[in-house]
Every structure is written in C-alpha cells, then in structure tokens.
Coordinates of all heavy atoms in Angstrom, one line a residue:
K601 N -12.4 -29.9 -3.5 CA -12.7 -29.6 -2.0 C -11.5 -28.8 -1.4 O -11.7 -28.1 -0.4 CB -12.9 -30.9 -1.3 CG -14.2 -31.5 -1.6 CD -14.9 -31.6 -0.3 CE -16.3 -32.2 -0.6 NZ -17.2 -31.9 0.3
R602 N -10.3 -28.9 -2.0 CA -9.2 -28.2 -1.4 C -9.3 -26.7 -1.4 O -8.9 -26.1 -0.4 CB -7.9 -28.6 -2.3 CG -6.7 -28.4 -1.5 CD -5.5 -29.0 -2.2 NE -5.0 -28.1 -3.2 CZ -4.3 -28.4 -4.2 NH1 -3.9 -29.6 -4.4 NH2 -3.9 -27.5 -5.1
G603 N -10.0 -26.1 -2.4 CA -10.2 -24.7 -2.4 C -11.3 -24.2 -1.6 O -11.5 -23.0 -1.4
Q604 N -12.1 -25.1 -1.0 CA -13.3 -24.7 -0.3 C -13.0 -23.9 0.9 O -13.7 -22.9 1.2 CB -14.1 -26.0 0.1 CG -15.4 -25.6 0.8 CD -16.2 -26.9 1.2 OE1 -15.7 -28.0 1.0 NE2 -17.4 -26.7 1.7
G605 N -11.9 -24.2 1.6 CA -11.5 -23.4 2.8 C -11.2 -22.0 2.5 O -11.6 -21.1 3.3
V606 N -10.6 -21.7 1.3 CA -10.3 -20.3 0.9 C -11.6 -19.6 0.8 O -11.8 -18.4 1.2 CB -9.5 -20.3 -0.4 CG1 -9.4 -18.9 -1.0 CG2 -8.2 -21.0 -0.2
W607 N -12.6 -20.2 0.1 CA -13.9 -19.5 -0.1 C -14.7 -19.3 1.2 O -15.3 -18.3 1.4 CB -14.8 -20.3 -1.1 CG -14.2 -20.2 -2.5 CD1 -13.6 -21.2 -3.2 CD2 -14.1 -19.0 -3.3 NE1 -13.2 -20.7 -4.4 CE2 -13.5 -19.4 -4.5 CE3 -14.5 -17.7 -3.1 CZ2 -13.3 -18.5 -5.5 CZ3 -14.3 -16.8 -4.2 CH2 -13.7 -17.2 -5.3
L608 N -14.6 -20.2 2.1 CA -15.2 -20.1 3.4 C -14.6 -18.9 4.2 O -15.4 -18.1 4.8 CB -15.1 -21.4 4.2 CG -16.0 -22.6 3.7 CD1 -15.7 -23.8 4.5 CD2 -17.5 -22.2 3.7
R609 N -13.3 -18.8 4.2 CA -12.7 -17.7 4.8 C -13.0 -16.4 4.2 O -13.2 -15.4 4.9 CB -11.1 -17.9 4.9 CG -10.7 -19.0 5.8 CD -9.2 -19.1 6.0 NE -8.4 -19.2 4.8 CZ -8.2 -20.4 4.3 NH1 -8.6 -21.5 4.8 NH2 -7.4 -20.4 3.1
A610 N -13.0 -16.3 2.9 CA -13.4 -15.1 2.1 C -14.8 -14.7 2.5 O -15.0 -13.5 2.7 CB -13.2 -15.3 0.6
R611 N -15.7 -15.6 2.5 CA -17.1 -15.3 2.8 C -17.2 -14.8 4.2 O -18.0 -13.8 4.5 CB -18.0 -16.5 2.6 CG -18.5 -16.5 1.1 CD -19.5 -17.6 1.0 NE -18.9 -18.6 0.1 CZ -19.0 -19.9 0.2 NH1 -19.7 -20.4 1.2 NH2 -18.4 -20.7 -0.6
A612 N -16.5 -15.4 5.1 CA -16.5 -14.9 6.5 C -16.0 -13.5 6.7 O -16.6 -12.7 7.4 CB -15.7 -15.9 7.4
R613 N -15.0 -13.1 5.9 CA -14.4 -11.8 6.0 C -15.5 -10.8 5.4 O -15.7 -9.7 5.9 CB -13.1 -11.7 5.2 CG -11.9 -12.2 6.0 CD -10.6 -11.7 5.3 NE -10.6 -12.0 3.9 CZ -10.0 -13.1 3.4 NH1 -9.4 -14.0 4.1 NH2 -9.9 -13.2 2.1
L614 N -16.1 -11.2 4.3 CA -17.1 -10.3 3.6 C -18.3 -10.1 4.6 O -18.8 -9.0 4.6 CB -17.5 -10.9 2.3 CG -16.5 -10.8 1.2 CD1 -17.0 -11.5 0.0 CD2 -16.2 -9.4 0.8
R615 N -18.7 -11.0 5.3 CA -19.8 -10.9 6.2 C -19.5 -9.9 7.3 O -20.4 -9.3 7.9 CB -20.2 -12.2 6.9 CG -21.0 -13.1 6.0 CD -21.6 -14.3 6.7 NE -21.7 -15.4 5.8 CZ -20.9 -16.5 5.8 NH1 -20.0 -16.6 6.7 NH2 -21.0 -17.4 4.9
R616 N -18.2 -9.7 7.7 CA -17.8 -8.8 8.7 C -17.8 -7.3 8.3 O -17.8 -6.4 9.1 CB -16.5 -9.2 9.3 CG -16.4 -10.4 10.1 CD -15.1 -10.7 10.8 NE -14.0 -9.8 10.4 CZ -12.9 -10.3 9.9 NH1 -12.7 -11.6 9.8 NH2 -11.9 -9.5 9.6
F617 N -17.7 -7.1 7.0 CA -17.5 -5.7 6.4 C -18.6 -4.8 6.9 O -18.2 -3.6 7.3 CB -17.4 -5.8 4.9 CG -16.0 -6.1 4.4 CD1 -15.7 -6.2 3.1 CD2 -14.9 -6.2 5.3 CE1 -14.5 -6.5 2.6 CE2 -13.6 -6.5 4.9 CZ -13.4 -6.6 3.5
P618 N -19.9 -5.1 6.8 CA -20.8 -4.1 7.2 C -20.6 -3.6 8.6 O -20.7 -2.4 8.9 CB -22.2 -4.8 7.0 CG -21.9 -5.8 6.0 CD -20.5 -6.3 6.2
A619 N -20.4 -4.5 9.5 CA -20.2 -4.0 10.9 C -18.9 -3.2 11.1 O -18.8 -2.2 11.8 CB -20.1 -5.3 11.8
L620 N -17.8 -3.7 10.4 CA -16.5 -3.0 10.4 C -16.6 -1.6 9.9 O -16.0 -0.6 10.4 CB -15.4 -3.8 9.7 CG -15.0 -5.1 10.3 CD1 -14.1 -5.8 9.3 CD2 -14.4 -4.9 11.6
L621 N -17.4 -1.4 8.8 CA -17.4 -0.1 8.1 C -18.5 0.8 8.6 O -18.6 1.9 8.2 CB -17.6 -0.4 6.6 CG -16.5 -1.2 5.9 CD1 -16.8 -1.4 4.5 CD2 -15.1 -0.7 6.2
A622 N -19.3 0.3 9.5 CA -20.4 1.1 10.0 C -20.0 2.4 10.7 O -20.7 3.4 10.7 CB -21.2 0.3 11.0
G623 N -18.8 2.4 11.2 CA -18.2 3.6 11.8 C -17.7 4.7 10.8 O -17.2 5.7 11.2
C624 N -17.8 4.4 9.5 CA -17.3 5.4 8.5 C -18.5 6.2 7.9 O -18.3 6.8 6.8 CB -16.6 4.6 7.5 SG -15.1 3.8 8.1
G625 N -19.6 6.2 8.6 CA -20.8 6.9 8.0 C -20.5 8.4 7.8 O -20.9 9.0 6.7
E626 N -19.8 9.1 8.7 CA -19.5 10.5 8.5 C -18.7 10.8 7.3 O -19.0 11.7 6.5 CB -18.8 11.0 9.7 CG -18.6 12.5 9.7 CD -17.9 13.0 11.0 OE1 -18.2 12.5 12.1 OE2 -17.0 13.8 10.9
Q627 N -17.7 10.0 7.1 CA -16.8 10.1 5.9 C -17.5 9.8 4.6 O -17.4 10.4 3.6 CB -15.5 9.3 6.1 CG -14.6 9.7 7.2 CD -15.0 9.2 8.5 OE1 -16.1 8.6 8.7 NE2 -14.2 9.4 9.5
A628 N -18.4 8.7 4.7 CA -19.1 8.3 3.5 C -20.1 9.4 3.1 O -20.3 9.7 1.9 CB -19.9 7.0 3.7
T629 N -20.8 10.0 4.1 CA -21.7 11.1 3.8 C -21.0 12.3 3.2 O -21.5 12.9 2.2 CB -22.4 11.5 5.1 OG1 -23.1 10.4 5.6 CG2 -23.4 12.7 4.9
A630 N -19.8 12.7 3.7 CA -19.1 13.8 3.2 C -18.7 13.5 1.7 O -18.8 14.4 0.9 CB -17.9 14.1 4.0
Y631 N -18.2 12.3 1.5 CA -17.8 12.0 0.1 C -19.0 12.0 -0.8 O -19.0 12.5 -1.9 CB -17.1 10.6 0.1 CG -16.7 10.2 -1.3 CD1 -15.7 10.9 -2.0 CD2 -17.2 9.0 -1.9 CE1 -15.3 10.5 -3.3 CE2 -16.8 8.6 -3.1 CZ -15.9 9.4 -3.8 OH -15.5 9.0 -5.1
G632 N -20.1 11.4 -0.4 CA -21.3 11.4 -1.2 C -21.8 12.8 -1.5 O -22.3 13.1 -2.6
R633 N -21.8 13.6 -0.5 CA -22.3 15.0 -0.7 C -21.4 15.7 -1.8 O -21.8 16.5 -2.6 CB -22.3 15.8 0.6 CG -23.5 15.5 1.4 CD -23.5 16.4 2.6 NE -24.6 16.0 3.5 CZ -24.6 16.0 4.8 NH1 -23.5 16.5 5.4 NH2 -25.7 15.7 5.5
C634 N -20.1 15.5 -1.6 CA -19.1 16.1 -2.5 C -19.4 15.7 -4.0 O -19.4 16.5 -4.9 CB -17.7 15.8 -2.1 SG -16.5 16.6 -3.2
V635 N -19.5 14.4 -4.2 CA -19.7 13.8 -5.5 C -21.1 14.3 -6.1 O -21.2 14.7 -7.2 CB -19.7 12.3 -5.5 CG1 -20.2 11.7 -6.8 CG2 -18.3 11.8 -5.2
A636 N -22.1 14.4 -5.2 CA -23.4 14.9 -5.7 C -23.3 16.3 -6.1 O -23.9 16.7 -7.1 CB -24.5 14.7 -4.6
A637 N -22.6 17.1 -5.3 CA -22.5 18.5 -5.6 C -21.7 18.7 -6.9 O -22.0 19.6 -7.7 CB -21.8 19.3 -4.5
A638 N -20.6 17.9 -7.1 CA -19.8 18.0 -8.2 C -20.5 17.6 -9.5 O -20.3 18.1 -10.6 CB -18.5 17.2 -8.1
A639 N -21.5 16.7 -9.4 CA -22.2 16.2 -10.5 C -23.5 16.9 -10.8 O -24.2 16.7 -11.8 CB -22.6 14.7 -10.3
S640 N -23.9 17.9 -9.9 CA -25.1 18.6 -10.1 C -25.2 19.6 -11.2 O -26.2 20.0 -11.7 CB -25.6 19.2 -8.8 OG -24.7 20.2 -8.4
G641 N -24.0 20.1 -11.6 CA -23.9 21.2 -12.6 C -24.0 20.6 -14.0 O -24.1 19.4 -14.2
T642 N -23.8 21.4 -14.9 CA -23.8 20.9 -16.3 C -22.4 20.4 -16.8 O -22.3 19.7 -17.7 CB -24.2 22.1 -17.3 OG1 -23.3 23.2 -17.1 CG2 -25.6 22.5 -17.0
A643 N -21.4 20.8 -16.0 CA -20.0 20.3 -16.3 C -19.8 18.9 -15.9 O -20.5 18.4 -15.0 CB -19.0 21.2 -15.7
E644 N -18.9 18.2 -16.5 CA -18.6 16.8 -16.1 C -17.8 16.9 -14.8 O -17.2 17.8 -14.4 CB -17.7 16.2 -17.1 CG -18.4 15.9 -18.4 CD -17.5 15.2 -19.4 OE1 -16.6 14.5 -19.0 OE2 -17.7 15.3 -20.6
V645 N -17.9 15.8 -14.0 CA -17.2 15.6 -12.8 C -15.7 15.5 -13.1 O -15.3 14.7 -13.9 CB -17.7 14.4 -12.0 CG1 -16.9 14.2 -10.7 CG2 -19.2 14.5 -11.7
R646 N -15.0 16.4 -12.4 CA -13.5 16.3 -12.6 C -12.9 15.2 -11.8 O -13.3 15.0 -10.7 CB -12.9 17.6 -12.2 CG -13.1 18.8 -13.1 CD -12.4 20.1 -12.6 NE -11.6 20.0 -11.3 CZ -12.1 20.4 -10.1 NH1 -13.3 20.9 -10.0 NH2 -11.3 20.2 -9.1
R647 N -11.9 14.6 -12.4 CA -11.1 13.6 -11.6 C -10.5 14.3 -10.4 O -10.1 15.4 -10.5 CB -10.0 13.0 -12.5 CG -9.2 12.0 -11.8 CD -8.0 11.6 -12.7 NE -7.0 10.9 -11.9 CZ -6.8 9.6 -12.0 NH1 -7.5 8.9 -12.8 NH2 -5.9 9.1 -11.3
D648 N -10.6 13.6 -9.3 CA -10.0 14.1 -8.1 C -10.8 15.3 -7.5 O -10.2 16.0 -6.6 CB -8.5 14.5 -8.2 CG -7.7 13.3 -8.5 OD1 -8.1 12.1 -8.2 OD2 -6.6 13.4 -9.1
A649 N -12.0 15.6 -8.0 CA -12.8 16.7 -7.5 C -13.0 16.5 -6.0 O -13.1 17.5 -5.2 CB -14.1 16.9 -8.2
C650 N -13.2 15.3 -5.5 CA -13.5 15.0 -4.1 C -12.4 14.2 -3.5 O -12.6 13.3 -2.7 CB -14.8 14.3 -4.1 SG -16.2 15.3 -4.7
L651 N -11.2 14.4 -3.9 CA -10.0 13.6 -3.5 C -9.9 13.6 -1.9 O -9.6 12.6 -1.3 CB -8.7 14.1 -4.1 CG -7.5 13.2 -3.9 CD1 -7.7 11.8 -4.3 CD2 -6.3 13.8 -4.6
E652 N -10.0 14.8 -1.3 CA -9.8 14.9 0.1 C -10.9 14.1 0.9 O -10.5 13.3 1.8 CB -10.0 16.4 0.5 CG -9.8 16.6 2.0 CD -9.9 18.1 2.4 OE1 -9.6 18.9 1.6 OE2 -10.3 18.3 3.6
E653 N -12.1 14.1 0.4 CA -13.2 13.3 1.0 C -13.0 11.9 0.8 O -13.2 11.0 1.7 CB -14.5 13.8 0.5 CG -14.9 15.2 0.9 CD -14.4 16.3 0.0 OE1 -13.5 16.0 -0.8 OE2 -14.7 17.4 0.2
F654 N -12.5 11.5 -0.4 CA -12.3 10.1 -0.7 C -11.1 9.6 0.1 O -11.2 8.4 0.7 CB -11.9 9.9 -2.2 CG -11.5 8.5 -2.6 CD1 -12.5 7.5 -2.7 CD2 -10.2 8.2 -2.7 CE1 -12.1 6.2 -3.0 CE2 -9.8 6.9 -2.9 CZ -10.8 5.9 -3.1
R655 N -10.1 10.3 0.3 CA -9.0 9.9 1.1 C -9.4 9.7 2.6 O -8.9 8.7 3.2 CB -7.8 10.9 1.0 CG -7.1 10.7 -0.3 CD -5.9 11.6 -0.3 NE -5.1 11.4 -1.6 CZ -4.3 12.3 -2.1 NH1 -4.1 13.4 -1.5 NH2 -3.7 12.0 -3.2
A656 N -10.2 10.5 3.1 CA -10.7 10.4 4.4 C -11.6 9.1 4.6 O -11.4 8.4 5.5 CB -11.6 11.6 4.9
L657 N -12.4 8.8 3.6 CA -13.2 7.6 3.6 C -12.3 6.4 3.5 O -12.5 5.4 4.2 CB -14.2 7.7 2.5 CG -15.2 6.5 2.3 CD1 -16.0 6.2 3.6 CD2 -16.1 6.6 1.1
R658 N -11.4 6.4 2.6 CA -10.5 5.3 2.4 C -9.7 5.0 3.7 O -9.5 3.9 4.1 CB -9.5 5.6 1.3 CG -8.5 4.6 1.0 CD -9.0 3.3 0.5 NE -8.1 2.2 0.6 CZ -7.3 1.8 -0.5 NH1 -7.5 2.4 -1.6 NH2 -6.5 0.8 -0.3
A659 N -9.2 6.1 4.4 CA -8.5 5.9 5.6 C -9.3 5.3 6.7 O -8.9 4.5 7.4 CB -7.9 7.3 6.1
C660 N -10.6 5.7 6.7 CA -11.5 5.1 7.7 C -11.7 3.6 7.4 O -11.7 2.8 8.3 CB -12.9 5.9 7.7 SG -14.0 5.3 8.9
F661 N -11.9 3.3 6.1 CA -12.0 1.9 5.8 C -10.8 1.1 6.2 O -10.9 0.0 6.7 CB -12.3 1.7 4.3 CG -13.6 2.1 3.8 CD1 -13.9 2.1 2.4 CD2 -14.7 2.4 4.7 CE1 -15.2 2.5 2.0 CE2 -15.9 2.7 4.2 CZ -16.2 2.7 2.9
D662 N -9.6 1.7 5.9 CA -8.4 1.0 6.2 C -8.3 0.8 7.7 O -7.8 -0.3 8.1 CB -7.2 1.8 5.7 CG -7.0 1.7 4.2 OD1 -7.7 0.9 3.5 OD2 -6.3 2.6 3.6
R663 N -8.6 1.8 8.5 CA -8.6 1.6 10.0 C -9.6 0.6 10.4 O -9.3 -0.2 11.3 CB -8.8 2.9 10.7 CG -7.7 3.9 10.6 CD -8.0 5.1 11.5 NE -9.2 5.8 11.2 CZ -9.4 6.8 10.3 NH1 -8.3 7.2 9.6 NH2 -10.5 7.3 10.2
A664 N -10.7 0.6 9.9 CA -11.8 -0.3 10.3 C -11.5 -1.8 10.0 O -11.7 -2.7 10.8 CB -13.1 0.0 9.6
V665 N -11.0 -2.0 8.8 CA -10.7 -3.4 8.3 C -9.4 -3.9 8.8 O -9.2 -5.1 9.2 CB -10.8 -3.4 6.8 CG1 -10.4 -4.8 6.3 CG2 -12.1 -3.1 6.3
G666 N -8.4 -3.0 8.9 CA -7.1 -3.4 9.4 C -6.3 -4.1 8.4 O -6.7 -4.4 7.3
P667 N -5.0 -4.4 8.7 CA -4.1 -5.0 7.7 C -4.4 -6.4 7.4 O -5.0 -7.1 8.3 CB -2.7 -4.9 8.4 CG -3.0 -4.8 9.8 CD -4.4 -4.1 10.0
G668 N -4.2 -6.8 6.2 CA -4.3 -8.3 5.9 C -5.7 -8.7 5.5 O -5.9 -9.9 5.4
V669 N -6.6 -7.8 5.4 CA -8.0 -8.2 5.1 C -8.3 -7.7 3.7 O -8.0 -6.8 3.3 CB -9.0 -7.7 6.1 CG1 -10.4 -8.1 5.7 CG2 -8.7 -8.3 7.5

C-alpha cells in the first residue's frame, strides 16, 4: 500500500497530458508532415532530417507540461 500514492499521482499527471498538449497541434502537424515527406521517397529517413520541427514540438511540450512533471 505504501507505493499506491506514487501510482495515483502518476496516473493523475498522465490524465492531464492530453489537455496540456492540445496547444501543440501546429508543431505536431509540422513535425508529422516533415517525417511523412522524408519517408515518402525511396531513400531511408535520415537521422535529424526533421530536427528543427522536432525541437519546436519538444519545446511546446516542455512549455505545456512545465518543470517537474
């Protein structure tokens, strides 16, 4: 029972994620488009091909979730 509080808090944080991340749709769309475009050819997707878009999405997630979550 001692660890139950940890799991309850973790589940509560996870339930908040969809609402917190809802404001990142523009960045998620840009990243998805970039990955889809990079994967559409016959060549393999290069590492960091969409790094700029990924960083923008990650920054949005970080701002939405905030520190310590």
